[in-house]
Amino acid sequence: MAEVGANLRRNRIHRALSRPNLLFGADRELVLLTGLAAVILIFVVLTWYAAILGAVIWIVVVAALRMMAKADPMMRRVYARHISYRPCYRATATPWRRY
């Protein structure tokens, strides 16, 4: 019986392949999207007030995204999948039935 456990093969799981893709501790795509929106605000208006407002908005949004990622790093993908579901599925549904 002891030989059965000795013949098992072990494979390493690299952390980079199993961890969520984060930037500044938040979801990478959302951080880049809010950064892009802040930069567009700054360069379209071209005033000091717009630059300060854009930086403040980006910092506040990144802080909120970090809190969201701390609760669940995959929350954006889970929510996107959740809103794609229908509110009700018929019990007699088939793949060929049209709704």
Side-chain angles (χ1 to χ4, degrees), residues 24-45:
F24 298 125
D27 188 28
R28 182 179 61 115
E29 290 88 3
L30 293 179
V31 169
L32 292 175
L33 185 67
T34 57
L36 179 66
V39 167
I40 288 172
L41 172 71
I42 291 169
F43 286 109
V44 166
V45 179

Side-chain angles (χ1 to χ4, degrees), residues 1 9 13 21 26 29 37 50 59 62 65 74 79 89:
M1 278 313 233
R9 190 172 170 193
I13 298 176
N21 202 358
E29 290 88 3
I59 289 169
V62 168
L65 290 174
M74 304 295 278
Y79 179 71
Y89 289 95

Side-chain angles (χ1 to χ4, degrees), residues 48-85:
W48 286 107
Y49 299 117
I52 293 169
L53 180 67
V56 167
I57 288 174
W58 188 70
I59 289 169
V60 169
V61 170
V62 168
L65 290 174
R66 287 185 68 181
M67 289 190 312
M68 184 178 83
K70 188 178 260 190
D72 183 10
M74 304 295 278
M75 190 179 293
R76 178 184 60 94
R77 291 186 186 101
V78 170
Y79 179 71
R81 188 180 66 223
H82 164 73
I83 62 172
S84 71
Y85 290 155

